Amino acid sequence: MPSTIRQSLFFAEKPSKLYAAFLDSAAHSDFTGCPTRISAKPGAAFRAMDYITGKNLQLVRGKQIVQSWRGDDWKASDPDSLFILNFGAEKNGTRLEMIHAGVPDRHKKSLASGWHEHYWRPLKAWLAR
């Protein structure tokens, strides 16, 4: 049965900067430390972290990113998951709400911790530079 991972984080940065960091290949590669090919165009395919592939399904500039998402180690029979980032402006920063739905149960635990280890902590450090 597929699982859903929900995470909510605060970043002391404008929504537009966070949004751009996710959809710019150079910025995404810089903050994750891994090569990334991504685009800010709806329908564009992406590859990140030498593990993740997907496609931009819906983009609302500075507000929302919706992507199909799958790991290279997922079974061929596993459907793509749905990855959603919502960027909400708050006083002194942004509330980032992440929903990762349709994750195969066997990957839920590693992905839930992996988001923090490979994305949220490195992104906070990158923004602080």
Side-chain angles (χ1 to χ4, degrees):
M1 186 100 196
S3 296
T4 299
I5 301 167
R6 296 176 189 273
Q7 296 177 348
S8 178
L9 304 105
F10 178 81
F11 291 89
E13 191 56 69
K14 293 180 182 179
S16 59
K17 183 165 183 175
L18 289 173
Y19 177 91
F22 274 92
L23 296 176
D24 177 82
S25 292
H28 198 124
S29 298
D30 194 33
F31 85 76
T32 62
C34 293
T36 301
R37 289 186 330 262
I38 200 160
S39 166
K41 295 180 182 176
F46 69 88
R47 177 149 182 90
M49 301 294 295
D50 290 328
Y51 167 78
I52 305 162
T53 57
K55 182 193 269 190
N56 293 333
L57 302 176
Q58 181 177 330
L59 303 173
V60 180
R61 185 178 298 261
K63 295 189 183 297
Q64 186 181 60
I65 297 171
V66 180
Q67 299 172 323
S68 66
W69 193 105
R70 72 180 299 109
D72 286 349
D73 61 346
W74 291 17
K75 294 178 182 176
S77 60
D78 291 330
D80 290 354
S81 62
L82 185 65
F83 180 71
I84 303 167
L85 291 175
N86 290 307
F87 304 85
E90 289 189 0
K91 185 176 181 179
N92 301 319
T94 301
R95 173 65 50 190
L96 179 66
E97 300 285 344
M98 187 270 293
I99 301 166
H100 193 173
V103 173
D105 281 338
R106 67 188 173 283
H107 294 290
K108 182 181 181 182
K109 186 176 179 182
S110 65
L111 285 175
S113 62
W115 283 114
H116 289 282
E117 180 182 346
H118 300 293
Y119 270 84
W120 312 139
R121 282 186 224 128
L123 179 57
K124 283 187 178 194
W126 182 78
L127 292 167
R129 290 191 284 172

